[in-house]
Amino acid sequence: MKVAAAQFAPTADAAANLVVIEEMTREAAEQGAELIVFPEEAMIPSDACDTPLRELAEAHWPGFLEGVARIASEQGIAIIAPGYEDSGTALPYNTIAAVDANGEVLGLYRKMHLYDAFNYQESRQVQRGDTGPVVVRIGDFNVGLVNCYDVRFPEFTRSLIEMGADLLAVSAAWVRGPLKEDHWATLVRTRAIENTCWVVASSLTTPDCIGMSMAVDPLGVVRAALGEEERSLLVVNADKERIDRARTVLPVLRNRRIIIGPR
């Protein structure tokens, strides 16, 4: 299955962001991709304007989800795209939507690990989700949904593998800072190696985020990567044979003595 990762810099204009999503999805479909992964905050960045995030979620999430579904159906390609969803409380969810090529919503993953680190407090802006992890079926692959800070938690991605995932789709707004680029590249490759699975990771390119979207195969080989390009696309052929080979020569999942399942 050909999988694309899109990186771009969304703005305070949610409608304009959806136009970019449509254009990049069309480009991915023209390159034969069956799935495209967008970065965290693709709907609208949390710091894009002075409007409270809950109001942004109330105003834009329904139209965003409908728009993503329409684009997926029109282009005949599955889409994974995050935004802010009204939770019914004072704080919205940071939600990843997975939509199939017919425009049907396969699943919603509400971010479980909030970024309360490096002098930042996401929990002041976002309601933590408690209904994950989430795996959806796209083509021949079971795809696990991962939202940014989640990638620092090996038990989370291992839970997705226990649920049958053989490809992890990571949507991120990876913030710049000392060693942060190295953390990103190391963690994305590590999640692929330790789980012998494909990882396709997309990150924002807003001024405070690093970009560096990448696709890593089950033996940790970076098959495609972007730099700091403000708007760019990568496409990789994620094949099941590579998973089978990795799990034959490196049977770490069979060799385990401690099993951690989904909670």
Side-chain angles (χ1 to χ4, degrees):
M1 177 172 73
K2 283 190 175 182
V3 183
Q7 68 178 36
F8 75 109
T11 68
D13 188 336
N17 297 335
L18 197 60
V19 170
V20 173
I21 289 171
E22 183 164 14
E23 291 172 350
M24 298 191 80
T25 299
R26 182 182 303 113
E27 181 182 349
E30 288 171 351
Q31 294 186 45
E34 298 175 54
L35 166 65
I36 183 168
V37 181
F38 283 94
E40 185 182 15
E41 298 193 320
M43 182 181 88
I44 195 167
S46 61
D47 59 355
C49 58
D50 295 330
T51 305
L53 200 53
R54 180 186 179 182
E55 293 181 23
L56 292 175
E58 290 176 340
H60 297 299
W61 175 257
F64 176 76
L65 191 58
E66 290 175 6
V68 168
R70 173 187 58 78
I71 294 165
S73 177
E74 290 178 354
Q75 299 301 323
I77 178 175
I79 298 175
I80 291 173
Y84 289 102
E85 174 194 11
D86 182 27
S87 70
T89 71
L91 301 177
Y93 292 120
N94 184 342
T95 302
I96 296 176
V99 179
D100 71 12
N102 296 315
E104 297 295 324
V105 177
L106 298 173
L108 299 175
Y109 166 60
R110 299 174 178 116
K111 189 175 184 180
M112 298 177 68
H113 298 101
L114 301 186
Y115 183 54
D116 288 355
F118 292 103
N119 299 313
Y120 189 86
Q121 291 286 316
E122 187 179 13
S123 60
R124 293 179 178 177
Q125 297 181 294
V126 172
Q127 176 71 31
R128 182 177 68 85
D130 58 5
T131 57
V134 174
V135 174
V136 297
R137 183 73 173 179
I138 297 175
D140 293 331
F141 280 78
N142 293 318
V143 180
L145 306 182
V146 181
N147 193 331
C148 199
Y149 194 46
D150 288 333
V151 81
R152 289 187 180 270
F153 298 85
E155 68 277 13
F156 177 79
T157 49
R158 181 54 57 85
S159 293
L160 292 168
I161 299 302
E162 287 293 324
M163 294 168 66
D166 37 33
L167 186 150
L168 302 178
V170 181
S171 298
W174 203 262
V175 179
R176 297 181 186 278
L179 298 177
K180 293 296 293 300
E181 291 88 348
D182 184 60
H183 287 192
W184 167 254
T186 300
L187 288 163
V188 171
R189 290 190 65 229
T190 300
R191 298 293 84 89
I193 294 167
E194 69 189 4
N195 292 305
T196 51
C197 69
W198 286 91
V199 178
V200 176
S202 169
S203 178
L204 286 187
T205 51
T206 48
D208 61 339
C209 292
I210 67 169
M212 291 182 62
S213 300
M214 66 179 71
V216 183
D217 79 10
L219 287 173
V221 178
V222 178
R223 291 300 189 93
L226 300 175
E228 296 184 341
E229 300 96 322
E230 182 173 319
R231 174 172 164 175
S232 193
L233 187 77
L234 66 81
V235 179
V236 65
N237 185 25
D239 60 278
K240 284 289 191 69
E241 289 76 16
R242 186 65 170 170
I243 297 174
D244 293 341
R245 171 164 174 72
R247 292 181 178 178
T248 297
V249 301
L250 183 63
V252 290
L253 298 178
R254 294 202 308 270
N255 294 160
R256 287 175 296 161
R257 293 298 176 264
I258 299 173
I259 306 298
I260 300 175
R263 298 178 64 183

